[in-house]
Amino acid sequence: MSDDKKISAAPSWLGLSEDRRSYVFRPERAEVVRRIFELAIGGMGSYAIANYLDGKKVPTFTNSENWDHTTIDYMLRNRATYGEYQPKSFAGGHKKGVPNGPPIPNYYPAVIDRNTYETAQIARKQNLANRGRKGNELANIFGGLTRCAYCGNEFVLHRVTNIQVLACAQDLNGIGCSRTAWTYRDFEITLLAFLAHPALADRLQGRQKDKLIELIDRIVDLSTNQERSYPLRVDIAVLLKEIVTEIIVHSAGDISAPRLPSAQISKDVRGRYSEIRLWDGQLDRCLSLS
């Protein structure tokens, strides 16, 4: 702050000192804010984050029993998170106020840095168009990680005759690529089984190894605890972003020729596989389990 006047209010993750002249962190709430930004950067939208926090029984910052997606969205857009304050005028009956002068940097203690804030804004714009309905499921835990081996475009979730598959976005847009998809359920089972193999953890060290072990624990929990499947799938999606650099999908195997966009999409052909690049840069081949 730039003066020594007494303070009347603070953002929800901050409190006031006894003399009401400075801000202090509310540690538990500050940690929740950091987690919300981490989840957003990991690819989750405000609905999904709200359901995740409810699933984890994280207390809200208000008297409400449940987190609201509008609260999450406002927090992700709030520049006070990195310390900026925008003076406002409430003259003329403006309930939310209108900007009155330039923003003041370093006014609040920053709960995140500016780079984290900007990264979250990019993630928000990308949103979660292919990750399921508003918060009741997380349809694609690999969103943003998969790309087509044949043209380099993203592999996205698509529905073919009531079955969810991963398919090349370029082909779905009618430009042309392999019309071969990979059934999502088979893809997820195959990839998670590969990542849970002990040999991968033995190869990594330090924080990388710790994160992979944490991922393995979540995968094991998911297989035995369906009642908590939603928060576990969210944890897995976030951890994947921290461990996996890219997943190159060879849905038609080693050889694929472009087909007309009007051709029927084939699913789960023999020889399909993925290549997974972890933190250490090594590319590993992962064959389909079926």
Side-chain angles (χ1 to χ4, degrees):
M1 291 184 59
S2 58
D3 53 42
D4 197 34
K5 294 188 296 185
K6 287 191 176 182
I7 309 166
S8 59
S12 56
W13 57 90
L14 295 175
L16 302 178
S17 61
E18 291 186 7
D19 62 5
R20 303 182 67 86
R21 295 183 185 278
S22 62
Y23 296 103
V24 293
F25 278 123
R26 303 176 71 169
E28 292 183 359
R29 289 190 176 187
E31 187 56 37
V32 172
V33 174
R34 296 186 189 102
R35 184 60 169 163
I36 287 171
F37 273 85
E38 179 181 286
L39 293 170
I41 291 170
M44 292 181 62
S46 56
Y47 280 96
I49 293 174
N51 276 324
Y52 172 80
L53 295 175
D54 286 340
K56 290 285 189 178
K57 302 188 184 303
V58 176
T60 67
F61 295 174
T62 65
N63 293 326
S64 174
E65 293 184 4
N66 301 106
W67 285 89
D68 185 83
H69 73 96
T70 57
T71 301
I72 303 297
D73 195 56
Y74 173 77
M75 188 178 297
L76 288 170
R77 292 183 289 108
N78 193 343
R79 294 175 179 270
T81 51
Y82 65 84
E84 184 177 287
Y85 169 63
Q86 174 60 65
K88 293 182 178 181
S89 170
F90 295 88
H94 293 284
K95 293 182 179 180
K96 295 184 178 181
V98 294
N100 183 21
I104 302 173
N106 304 317
Y107 185 89
Y108 301 111
V111 69
I112 58 169
D113 59 34
R114 178 69 180 268
N115 183 64
T116 299
Y117 176 86
E118 297 296 349
T119 303
Q121 304 319 299
I122 295 172
R124 283 182 61 248
K125 290 178 181 178
Q126 293 175 343
N127 214 335
L128 298 176
N130 296 306
R131 292 199 186 185
R133 296 189 299 273
K134 292 180 179 178
N136 291 325
E137 61 181 49
L138 195 61
N140 180 13
I141 61 176
F142 303 99
L145 290 174
T146 51
R147 66 179 179 87
C148 178
Y150 314 118
C151 70
N153 281 274
E154 186 177 5
F155 240 61
V156 299
L157 201 64
H158 181 63
R159 187 175 291 275
V160 178
T161 59
N162 296 321
I163 298 175
Q164 288 184 321
V165 299
L166 288 172
C168 177
Q170 175 166 288
D171 184 63
L172 295 176
N173 290 333
I175 300 174
C177 187
S178 172
R179 295 286 284 172
T180 307
W182 194 326
T183 302
Y184 179 79
R185 178 172 174 76
D186 179 74
F187 184 84
E188 180 176 302
I189 291 172
T190 298
L191 268 290
L192 292 185
F194 176 82
L195 290 167
H197 196 285
L200 284 183
D202 290 341
R203 195 177 80 200
L204 300 177
Q205 296 180 348
R207 184 171 179 269
Q208 296 180 3
K209 184 172 185 176
D210 292 341
K211 285 292 181 181
L212 183 56
I213 291 174
E214 186 178 351
L215 174 63
I216 293 171
D217 288 342
R218 296 295 189 278
I219 293 171
V220 172
D221 288 346
L222 182 63
S223 66
T224 59
N225 193 346
Q226 290 303 307
E227 291 183 359
R228 295 189 61 247
S229 63
Y230 182 81
L232 285 171
R233 286 175 65 78
V234 172
D235 283 345
I236 289 171
V238 172
L239 286 165
L240 283 169
K241 285 279 183 20
E242 299 186 57
I243 296 166
V244 178
T245 302
E246 64 176 344
I247 303 171
I248 306 170
V249 185
H250 297 253
S251 56
D254 286 325
I255 301 175
S256 174
R259 299 166 62 196
L260 293 175
S262 59
Q264 184 176 0
I265 295 179
S266 301
K267 301 185 292 293
D268 294 351
V269 300
R270 287 181 177 273
R272 65 191 182 281
Y273 67 94
S274 291
E275 293 176 298
I276 305 175
R277 193 183 307 278
L278 302 184
W279 262 344
D280 60 359
Q282 185 170 322
L283 201 61
D284 296 287
R285 179 174 288 204
C286 173
L287 301 176
S288 171
L289 295 178
S290 62

